[in-house]
C-alpha cells in the first residue's frame, strides 16, 4: 500500500463510488484520488458530481464526453451484428464499460497514477469488463477493487458507511435499486426484483418511458433509414448518431417499447434477475433486422445469426478489445455493404409491428415470388431439385425396406 500515492477512480457518484473515495484515503495512506466519470448519456446523474467528488476527498474530477464515440464505435457495431445476449439483453451496460475504462486508463497514464480503482462487486460482470479493458491498454497497472477487500457486505452497510461519513446520497433504503443508466438503456436490479416471482413495479421504477398499459391508445408510425447497416435518418430527417438514438428513445419510451424482464446467466456463474429499459435500441434492432430480411442472402443471413450470438457473448463477457471481436466486426461490416434502405414500423402499446420495408439492394423479386402467372420461374425445375435434395433420405429408406438398416 505504501507505493500507492495516486489513484484514478471510475466514479459515477452512485452508492458504491461515493463511499470509495474516503475509503481509499483511509486505507491507502491518504492517497490522492482523482475521479473520472465517462459521460455516456446518464443525463441528470452527472449534475452536482464535481462538488460531491471534491467534498468527499477527490483532488479533481474529470467528466469526459464520450457520447458520440459510444454510439458510433460501440453501439452501432453491436447493432449491425444483431448481437443480443440470451435472446433479450441488448447489452446496454456491457458495451458502455469498455469505452469508459479505456478513457480512465488514458487519464491514469497521463496523471502518472499508481493504480486504477473501480466500484464493481465481486459478484458481477462489470469487474471483468473494466479490468479486461484496463489490461488491454495498461497491462501493468495495479487495480484496486474495494468490494474484494473491504469488510462491507451489502448495500445496506454501504448506506451505513455513507451516513457515518456524512456522504450525501440520492437514494434511500426503500429506493436502493442497483441501477446503471446510459444513453442506450437503464437497468434495475435488487430489492423486490431479487425474487423472480415478484412482478416488477413498473410505475415505480420506469424512467425512460411508460408501461404498455399507459401508452397511447393510438399507434405511432416511424420510418428508420439505414446506410450500410447504420441508422442515418428518422422519418426522412438526417440526424447525428446521438440524435437518432435520443429520438428513438423518445418514440419508444412514449409507446411502452423495450422493457425486458429476464433472469440471465452472469459470466461469474450465477443467475441474476434484472429489468432493462431499452426503448430506442429495441426499435433500431427491430428495424435493422427487418431490413436485413430483404438485403442479405440466405446463407449469409443464417451464418450471421451464429456470429451474432458469439458477438453478444464477447460483449457481455467484457472481451471488446480482443482479436476475435475485431475479426467478427470485420465480417459484420462486410455483410452490411448492401443493408441500405427504409423500414416503416407501427408502435403500439409495447409492440413493434412491421409496416413496410424497401431497399435499392433488395433481393426480394416480386416477379419470382408472385403467386400469379410469371415467365421467369419454371416450376418444373423443382422436381429435379427435390429428387437430388431428398436422395439421402430416399436411399436410407430403401435400405430399411430391404432390412439393411434398423
Amino acid at each position: 500500500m505504501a507505493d500507492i500515492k495516486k489513484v484514478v477512480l471510475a466514479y459515477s457518484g452512485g452508492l458504491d463510488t461515493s463511499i470509495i473515495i474516503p475509503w481509499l484515503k483511509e486505507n491507502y495512506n491518504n492517497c490522492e484520488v482523482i475521479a473520472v466519470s465517462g459521460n455516456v448519456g446518464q443525463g441528470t446523474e452527472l449534475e452536482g458530481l464535481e462538488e460531491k467528488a471534491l467534498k468527499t476527498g477527490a483532488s479533481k474530477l474529470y467528466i469526459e464526453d464520450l457520447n458520440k464515440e459510444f454510439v458510433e464505435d460501440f453501439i452501432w457495431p453491436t447493432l449491425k451484428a444483431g448481437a443480443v445476449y440470451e435472446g433479450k439483453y441488448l447489452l446496454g451496460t456491457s458495451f458502455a464499460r469498455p469505452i469508459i475504462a479505456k478513457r480512465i486508463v488514458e487519464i491514469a497514464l497521463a496523471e502518472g497514477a499508481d493504480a486504477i480503482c473501480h466500484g464493481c462487486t465481486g459478484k458481477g460482470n462489470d469487474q471483468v469488463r473494466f479490468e479486461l479493458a484496463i489490461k488491454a491498454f495498461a497491462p501493468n497497472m495495479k487495480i484496486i477493487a474495494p468490494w474484494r477487500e473491504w469488510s462491507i457486505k451489502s448495500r445496506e452497510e454501504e448506506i451505513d458507511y455513507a451516513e457515518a461519513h456524512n456522504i450525501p446520497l440520492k437514494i434511500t433504503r426503500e429506493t436502493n435499486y442497483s441501477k446503471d443508466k446510459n444513453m442506450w438503456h437503464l437497468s434495475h436490479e435488487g430489492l423486490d426484483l431479487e425474487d423472480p416471482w415478484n412482478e416488477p413495479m413498473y410505475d415505480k421504477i420506469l424512467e425512460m418511458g411508460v408501461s404498455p398499459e399507459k401508452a397511447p391508445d393510438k399507434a405511432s408510425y416511424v420510418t428508420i433509414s439505414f446506410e450500410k447497416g447504420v441508422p442515418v435518418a428518422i422519418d426522412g430527417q438526417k440526424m447525428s448518431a446521438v440524435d437518432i438514438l435520443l429520438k428513438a428513445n423518445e418514440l419508444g419510451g412514449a409507446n411502452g417499447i423495450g422493457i425486458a424482464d429476464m433472469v440471465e446467466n452472469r459470466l461469474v456463474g450465477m443467475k441474476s434477475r434484472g429489468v432493462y429499459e431499452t426503448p430506442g435500441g429495441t426499435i433500431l434492432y427491430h428495424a435493422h433486422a427487418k431490413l436485413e430480411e430483404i438485403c442479405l442472402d440466405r446463407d449469409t443471413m443464417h451464418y450471421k445469426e451464429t456470429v451474432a450470438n458469439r458477438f453478444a457473448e464477447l460483449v457481455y463477457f467484457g472481451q471488446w478489445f480482443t482479436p476475435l471481436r475485431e475479426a467478427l466486426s470485420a465480417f459484420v461490416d462486410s455483410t452490411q455493404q448492401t443493408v441500405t434502405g427504409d423500414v416503416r414500423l407501427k408502435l403500439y402499446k409495447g409492440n413493434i409491428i412491421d409496416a413496410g420495408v424497401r431497399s435499392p439492394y433488395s433481393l426480394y423479386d416480386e416477379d419470382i415470388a408472385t403467386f400469379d402467372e410469371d415467365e421467369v420461374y419454371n416450376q418444373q425445375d423443382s422436381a429435379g431439385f427435390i429428387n437430388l435434395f431428398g436422395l439421402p433420405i430416399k436411399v436410407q429408406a430403401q435400405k430399411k425396406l430391404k432390412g439393411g438398416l434398423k
Side-chain angles (χ1 to χ4, degrees), residues 202 206 209-220 251-260 276 278-280 282-283 286 345-354:
Y202 290 124
L206 293 181
V210 299
S211 64
E213 294 89 342
K214 292 196 172 182
D217 293 330
K218 182 179 179 181
S220 299
L251 292 167
N255 287 280
I257 304 293
I259 302 169
Y276 299 104
T278 320
T282 302
I283 293 173
H286 188 109
L345 302 172
K346 180 163 66 173
L347 313 178
Y348 183 68
K349 289 189 175 295
N351 297 289
I352 303 177
I353 303 164
D354 298 327

Side-chain angles (χ1 to χ4, degrees), residues 3 43 67 93 125 142 144 217 264 317-318 336 369:
D3 59 335
N67 286 287
T93 299
N125 300 304
K142 180 176 175 56
I144 301 173
D217 293 330
E264 69 201 58
F317 296 163
Q336 300 299 291

Side-chain angles (χ1 to χ4, degrees), residues 334-347:
S334 176
T335 70
Q336 300 299 291
Q337 297 307 301
T338 59
V339 183
T340 294
D342 306 307
V343 181
R344 186 172 62 237
L345 302 172
K346 180 163 66 173
L347 313 178

Side-chain angles (χ1 to χ4, degrees), residues 258-277:
I259 302 169
D261 178 1
M262 69 180 293
V263 176
E264 69 201 58
N265 289 293
R266 285 183 177 175
L267 174 59
V268 295
M270 70 183 69
K271 289 184 180 291
S272 173
R273 196 261 189 109
V275 173
Y276 299 104
E277 299 179 60

Side-chain angles (χ1 to χ4, degrees), residues 28-58:
Y28 282 85
N29 299 315
N30 198 33
C31 62
E32 180 183 359
V33 179
I34 298 172
V36 179
S37 294
N39 179 2
V40 286
Q42 301 94 309
T44 57
E45 289 185 7
L46 297 172
E47 294 177 2
L49 214 56
E50 182 175 16
E51 180 183 5
K52 181 177 180 179
L54 297 180
K55 278 188 175 180
T56 52

Side-chain angles (χ1 to χ4, degrees), residues 294-352:
I294 65 171
C295 293
L296 296 186
D297 66 276
R298 180 191 64 200
D299 288 347
T300 299
M301 186 173 179
H302 289 183
Y303 190 77
K304 187 171 177 287
E305 290 174 354
T306 301
V307 170
N309 185 59
R310 188 68 181 102
F311 196 106
E313 288 182 339
L314 291 172
V315 177
Y316 187 85
F317 296 163
Q319 295 172 295
W320 184 272
F321 300 112
T322 61
L324 179 55
R325 200 283 307 166
E326 293 172 359
L328 292 186
S329 282
F331 166 79
V332 169
D333 286 344
S334 176
T335 70
Q336 300 299 291
Q337 297 307 301
T338 59
V339 183
T340 294
D342 306 307
V343 181
R344 186 172 62 237
L345 302 172
K346 180 163 66 173
L347 313 178
Y348 183 68
K349 289 189 175 295
N351 297 289
I352 303 177

Side-chain angles (χ1 to χ4, degrees), residues 19 23 146-147 149-159 161:
I19 68 171
W23 181 88
W147 270 103
E149 296 183 26
W150 62 23
S151 59
I152 296 173
K153 295 294 191 292
S154 67
R155 290 178 67 82
E156 283 285 320
E157 290 185 14
E158 284 187 291
I159 293 176
Y161 184 97

